Protein backbone atom coordinates (compact mmCIF):
# COMPACT_ATOMS: atom_id res chain seq x y z
CA UNK A 1 0.00 0.00 0.00
CA UNK A 2 1.04 3.61 -0.51
CA UNK A 3 2.33 3.16 -4.08
CA UNK A 4 0.31 6.23 -5.15
CA UNK A 5 0.67 8.41 -2.05
CA UNK A 6 0.39 12.07 -3.02
CA UNK A 7 -0.87 11.36 -6.54
CA UNK A 8 -4.05 12.85 -8.00
CA UNK A 9 -5.75 10.83 -10.72
CA UNK A 10 -8.62 11.36 -13.15
CA UNK A 11 -10.22 8.07 -14.24
CA UNK A 12 -12.81 7.97 -17.01
CA UNK A 13 -15.58 5.40 -17.07
CA UNK A 14 -15.21 5.08 -13.32
CA UNK A 15 -18.80 4.27 -12.39
CA UNK A 16 -18.61 0.53 -13.01
CA UNK A 17 -16.48 -2.33 -14.28
CA UNK A 18 -12.75 -1.83 -14.57
CA UNK A 19 -13.00 1.92 -13.96
CA UNK A 20 -14.68 1.33 -10.62
CA UNK A 21 -11.97 -1.19 -9.71
CA UNK A 22 -9.26 1.29 -10.74
CA UNK A 23 -10.78 4.01 -8.57
CA UNK A 24 -10.98 1.77 -5.51
CA UNK A 25 -7.49 0.39 -5.96
CA UNK A 26 -5.96 3.83 -6.55
CA UNK A 27 -7.61 5.12 -3.39
CA UNK A 28 -6.33 2.11 -1.44
CA UNK A 29 -2.84 2.89 -2.73
CA UNK A 30 -3.04 6.45 -1.42
CA UNK A 31 -4.20 8.46 -4.44
CA UNK A 32 -6.93 11.06 -4.49
CA UNK A 33 -9.25 10.30 -7.37
CA UNK A 34 -11.77 12.01 -9.58
CA UNK A 35 -13.96 9.63 -11.55
CA UNK A 36 -15.91 10.68 -14.60
CA UNK A 37 -18.81 8.89 -16.24
CA UNK A 38 -22.20 9.45 -17.87
CA UNK A 39 -23.77 7.11 -15.29
CA UNK A 40 -24.35 9.72 -12.61
CA UNK A 41 -26.08 7.65 -9.93
CA UNK A 42 -23.51 4.86 -10.06
CA UNK A 43 -20.63 7.33 -10.19
CA UNK A 44 -21.86 9.24 -7.15
CA UNK A 45 -22.24 5.95 -5.29
CA UNK A 46 -18.64 4.93 -6.01
CA UNK A 47 -17.36 8.33 -4.86
CA UNK A 48 -19.49 8.27 -1.72
CA UNK A 49 -18.17 4.84 -0.86
CA UNK A 50 -14.59 6.11 -0.99
CA UNK A 51 -15.29 9.36 0.87
CA UNK A 52 -15.11 13.00 -0.19
CA UNK A 53 -11.53 13.44 1.01
CA UNK A 54 -10.43 10.63 -1.27
CA UNK A 55 -12.76 10.68 -4.29
CA UNK A 56 -15.05 13.00 -6.26
CA UNK A 57 -17.40 12.32 -9.16
CA UNK A 58 -18.02 14.48 -12.23
CA UNK A 59 -20.45 13.92 -15.07
CA UNK A 60 -18.19 13.29 -18.04
CA UNK A 61 -18.93 12.40 -21.65
CA UNK A 62 -15.49 11.67 -23.09
CA UNK A 63 -16.59 12.73 -26.58
CA UNK A 64 -17.26 16.28 -25.33
CA UNK A 65 -14.44 18.84 -25.28
CA UNK A 66 -16.39 20.91 -22.77
CA UNK A 67 -16.81 17.93 -20.45
CA UNK A 68 -13.10 17.20 -20.65
CA UNK A 69 -12.24 20.79 -19.74
CA UNK A 70 -14.70 20.67 -16.83
CA UNK A 71 -13.39 17.31 -15.54
CA UNK A 72 -9.76 18.43 -15.54
CA UNK A 73 -10.72 21.75 -13.93
CA UNK A 74 -12.71 19.92 -11.26
CA UNK A 75 -9.75 17.65 -10.53
CA UNK A 76 -7.31 20.53 -10.11
CA UNK A 77 -9.84 22.55 -8.12
CA UNK A 78 -10.59 19.66 -5.75
CA UNK A 79 -7.08 18.36 -5.17
CA UNK A 80 -4.68 21.03 -6.46
CA UNK A 81 -3.07 19.13 -9.33
CA UNK A 82 -3.39 16.22 -11.76
CA UNK A 83 -0.66 13.60 -11.92
CA UNK A 84 -2.42 10.68 -13.60
CA UNK A 85 -4.97 10.25 -16.35
CA UNK A 86 -6.50 6.83 -16.91
CA UNK A 87 -8.37 6.76 -20.22
CA UNK A 88 -10.61 3.85 -19.32
CA UNK A 89 -14.03 4.75 -20.77
CA UNK A 90 -15.07 2.55 -23.66
CA UNK A 91 -17.99 0.98 -25.46
CA UNK A 92 -18.45 -2.07 -27.66
CA UNK A 93 -20.82 -2.71 -30.55
CA UNK A 94 -20.96 -6.24 -31.96
CA UNK A 95 -22.12 -6.57 -35.59
CA UNK A 96 -20.76 -7.79 -38.91
CA UNK A 97 -19.41 -4.99 -41.10
CA UNK A 98 -22.13 -5.48 -43.71
CA UNK A 99 -24.83 -5.09 -41.04
CA UNK A 100 -23.32 -2.37 -38.87
CA UNK A 101 -24.69 1.16 -39.13
CA UNK A 102 -21.99 3.73 -39.95
CA UNK A 103 -23.24 5.82 -37.03
CA UNK A 104 -22.50 2.94 -34.64
CA UNK A 105 -19.01 2.51 -36.07
CA UNK A 106 -18.31 6.23 -35.65
CA UNK A 107 -19.67 6.25 -32.11
CA UNK A 108 -17.26 3.52 -31.02
CA UNK A 109 -14.33 5.44 -32.51
CA UNK A 110 -15.50 8.67 -30.88
CA UNK A 111 -15.70 7.16 -27.39
CA UNK A 112 -12.78 4.74 -27.47
CA UNK A 113 -10.22 6.63 -29.55
CA UNK A 114 -11.17 10.29 -29.96
CA UNK A 115 -12.08 10.39 -26.27
CA UNK A 116 -8.54 9.30 -25.39
CA UNK A 117 -7.06 11.92 -27.69
CA UNK A 118 -9.19 14.68 -26.18
CA UNK A 119 -8.13 13.64 -22.70
CA UNK A 120 -4.44 13.61 -23.50
CA UNK A 121 -4.78 17.02 -25.12
CA UNK A 122 -6.56 18.42 -22.07
CA UNK A 123 -4.05 17.28 -19.44
CA UNK A 124 -0.86 18.33 -21.23
CA UNK A 125 -0.86 21.85 -19.75
CA UNK A 126 -1.61 21.01 -16.08
CA UNK A 127 0.72 18.01 -16.09
CA UNK A 128 3.52 20.03 -17.65
CA UNK A 129 3.01 22.80 -15.10
CA UNK A 130 3.11 20.20 -12.33
CA UNK A 131 6.41 18.75 -13.52
CA UNK A 132 5.07 15.72 -15.39
CA UNK A 133 2.66 12.86 -15.02
CA UNK A 134 1.49 9.49 -16.28
CA UNK A 135 -1.21 8.73 -18.84
CA UNK A 136 -2.51 5.17 -19.03
CA UNK A 137 -4.68 4.31 -22.02
CA UNK A 138 -6.81 1.21 -21.68
CA UNK A 139 -6.77 -0.64 -24.98
CA UNK A 140 -7.49 -4.36 -25.40
CA UNK A 141 -6.11 -7.55 -26.88
CA UNK A 142 -8.41 -6.53 -29.76
CA UNK A 143 -5.76 -3.88 -30.39
CA UNK A 144 -3.44 -6.73 -31.44
CA UNK A 145 -5.79 -9.28 -33.01
CA UNK A 146 -9.12 -8.53 -34.61
CA UNK A 147 -12.26 -10.62 -34.24
CA UNK A 148 -15.25 -11.08 -36.52
CA UNK A 149 -18.07 -8.76 -35.51
CA UNK A 150 -15.79 -6.35 -33.64
CA UNK A 151 -14.51 -4.18 -36.49
CA UNK A 152 -15.27 -0.89 -34.76
CA UNK A 153 -13.97 -1.96 -31.37
CA UNK A 154 -10.80 -3.48 -32.79
CA UNK A 155 -10.13 -0.46 -35.03
CA UNK A 156 -10.49 1.84 -32.03
CA UNK A 157 -8.18 -0.25 -29.88
CA UNK A 158 -5.53 -0.55 -32.60
CA UNK A 159 -5.81 3.24 -32.81
CA UNK A 160 -5.16 3.61 -29.09
CA UNK A 161 -1.84 1.85 -29.59
CA UNK A 162 -0.76 4.34 -32.23
CA UNK A 163 -2.01 7.31 -30.23
CA UNK A 164 -0.11 6.08 -27.17
CA UNK A 165 3.16 5.79 -29.05
CA UNK A 166 2.82 9.20 -30.70
CA UNK A 167 1.90 10.88 -27.43
CA UNK A 168 4.86 9.27 -25.69
CA UNK A 169 7.17 10.72 -28.34
CA UNK A 170 5.66 14.19 -28.01
CA UNK A 171 5.34 14.44 -24.24
CA UNK A 172 8.42 12.73 -22.85
CA UNK A 173 10.40 15.96 -22.69
CA UNK A 174 7.68 17.42 -20.46
CA UNK A 175 8.02 14.52 -18.04
CA UNK A 176 4.74 12.97 -19.13
CA UNK A 177 4.78 9.20 -19.68
CA UNK A 178 2.16 7.50 -21.85
CA UNK A 179 1.55 3.74 -21.88
CA UNK A 180 -1.23 1.37 -22.91
CA UNK A 181 -2.75 -1.62 -21.15
CA UNK A 182 -4.32 -4.47 -23.12
CA UNK A 183 -6.66 -6.66 -21.06
CA UNK A 184 -8.05 -9.93 -22.30
CA UNK A 185 -11.17 -11.42 -20.76
CA UNK A 186 -12.14 -9.57 -17.58
CA UNK A 187 -15.14 -10.25 -15.36
CA UNK A 188 -17.07 -7.11 -16.30
CA UNK A 189 -20.49 -6.72 -17.87
CA UNK A 190 -18.99 -5.50 -21.15
CA UNK A 191 -16.60 -8.43 -21.53
CA UNK A 192 -19.25 -10.96 -20.60
CA UNK A 193 -21.80 -9.51 -23.02
CA UNK A 194 -19.20 -9.57 -25.77
CA UNK A 195 -18.45 -13.21 -25.08
CA UNK A 196 -22.14 -14.08 -25.14
CA UNK A 197 -22.68 -12.28 -28.45
CA UNK A 198 -19.95 -14.25 -30.24
CA UNK A 199 -22.05 -17.30 -31.01
CA UNK A 200 -19.29 -18.99 -33.03
CA UNK A 201 -17.10 -19.32 -29.91
CA UNK A 202 -17.52 -21.93 -27.17
CA UNK A 203 -16.77 -19.84 -24.05
CA UNK A 204 -15.93 -22.85 -21.89
CA UNK A 205 -13.46 -24.23 -24.42
CA UNK A 206 -12.02 -20.76 -24.94
CA UNK A 207 -11.32 -20.24 -21.25
CA UNK A 208 -9.85 -23.72 -20.86
CA UNK A 209 -7.47 -23.00 -23.75
CA UNK A 210 -5.81 -20.13 -21.87
CA UNK A 211 -2.53 -20.80 -20.03
CA UNK A 212 -4.23 -19.14 -17.06
CA UNK A 213 -7.60 -20.81 -17.51
CA UNK A 214 -9.96 -18.12 -16.26
CA UNK A 215 -11.05 -14.54 -16.84
CA UNK A 216 -9.33 -11.80 -14.82
CA UNK A 217 -10.81 -10.09 -11.82
CA UNK A 218 -10.95 -6.32 -12.54
CA UNK A 219 -8.52 -5.54 -9.71
CA UNK A 220 -5.87 -7.66 -11.44
CA UNK A 221 -5.88 -5.10 -14.24
CA UNK A 222 -6.02 -2.25 -11.72
CA UNK A 223 -2.74 -3.37 -10.15
CA UNK A 224 -1.00 -3.07 -13.51
CA UNK A 225 -2.54 0.34 -14.14
CA UNK A 226 -1.43 1.51 -10.69
CA UNK A 227 2.13 0.40 -11.41
CA UNK A 228 2.17 2.49 -14.58
CA UNK A 229 0.69 5.43 -12.70
CA UNK A 230 3.33 5.20 -10.00
CA UNK A 231 6.93 6.36 -9.88
CA UNK A 232 8.00 2.72 -9.96
CA UNK A 233 7.56 2.83 -13.75
CA UNK A 234 9.49 6.09 -14.12
CA UNK A 235 11.54 4.91 -17.14
CA UNK A 236 8.60 3.38 -18.98
CA UNK A 237 6.80 5.19 -21.79
CA UNK A 238 5.36 4.33 -25.17
CA UNK A 239 5.01 0.72 -24.07
CA UNK A 240 2.22 -1.84 -24.35
CA UNK A 241 1.30 -4.10 -21.42
CA UNK A 242 -0.78 -7.19 -22.12
CA UNK A 243 -2.79 -8.84 -19.33
CA UNK A 244 -4.68 -11.63 -21.08
CA UNK A 245 -3.97 -14.86 -19.23
CA UNK A 246 -1.54 -15.81 -21.98
CA UNK A 247 -4.04 -15.69 -24.87
CA UNK A 248 -1.79 -13.83 -27.29
CA UNK A 249 1.16 -16.09 -26.51
CA UNK A 250 -0.52 -18.98 -28.35
CA UNK A 251 0.22 -20.26 -31.85
CA UNK A 252 -2.91 -18.66 -33.29
CA UNK A 253 -1.47 -15.20 -32.70
Amino acid sequence: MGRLDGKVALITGGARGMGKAHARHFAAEGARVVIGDVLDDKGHAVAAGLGEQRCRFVHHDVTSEDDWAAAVHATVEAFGRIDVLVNNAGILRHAPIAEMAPADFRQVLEVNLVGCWLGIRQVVAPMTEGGGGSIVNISSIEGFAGAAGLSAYSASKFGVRGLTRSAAQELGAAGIRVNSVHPGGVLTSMSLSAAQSMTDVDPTAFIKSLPIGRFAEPVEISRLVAFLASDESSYTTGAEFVADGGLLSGPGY
Side-chain angles (χ1 to χ4, degrees), residues 59-228:
H59 179 86
H60 186 195
D61 175 353
V62 296
T63 69
S64 167
E65 293 182 61
D66 289 342
D67 278 13
W68 266 112
V72 172
H73 175 76
T75 303
V76 175
E77 184 175 53
F79 298 124
R81 57 188 295 116
I82 180 167
D83 304 293
V84 180
L85 169 64
V86 181
N87 275 316
N88 170 77
I91 60 173
L92 183 150
R93 298 284 184 268
H94 185 273
I97 293 172
E99 299 174 14
M100 189 173 212
D104 288 340
F105 184 86
R106 292 189 179 101
Q107 183 189 30
V108 173
L109 293 184
E110 283 288 327
V111 173
N112 296 0
L113 179 56
V114 178
C116 282
W117 184 86
L118 290 173
I120 293 170
R121 183 174 182 270
Q122 196 67 46
V123 300
V124 168
M127 281 189 178
T128 300
E129 291 168 7
S134 174
I135 298 171
V136 185
N137 297 323
I138 307 301
S139 182
S140 167
I141 57 169
E142 296 299 333
F144 288 98
L150 294 178
S151 60
Y153 186 76
S154 187
S156 71
K157 295 304 186 179
F158 266 88
V160 169
R161 291 177 63 199
L163 173 60
T164 298
R165 292 185 178 197
S166 293
Q169 290 290 319
E170 287 189 23
L171 303 178
I176 300 172
R177 300 181 295 106
V178 192
N179 295 286
S180 59
V181 171
H182 302 260
V186 183
L187 291 172
T188 65
S189 58
M190 188 169 78
S191 291
L192 293 175
S193 65
Q196 291 167 357
S197 67
M198 299 172 73
T199 55
D200 58 332
V201 176
D202 179 348
T204 301
F206 170 75
I207 292 172
K208 286 182 177 179
S209 72
L210 298 175
I212 300 176
R214 60 176 177 80
F215 275 15
E217 296 288 343
V219 71
E220 293 181 286
I221 310 302
S222 300
R223 294 180 189 126
L224 176 55
V225 176
F227 166 72
L228 293 172

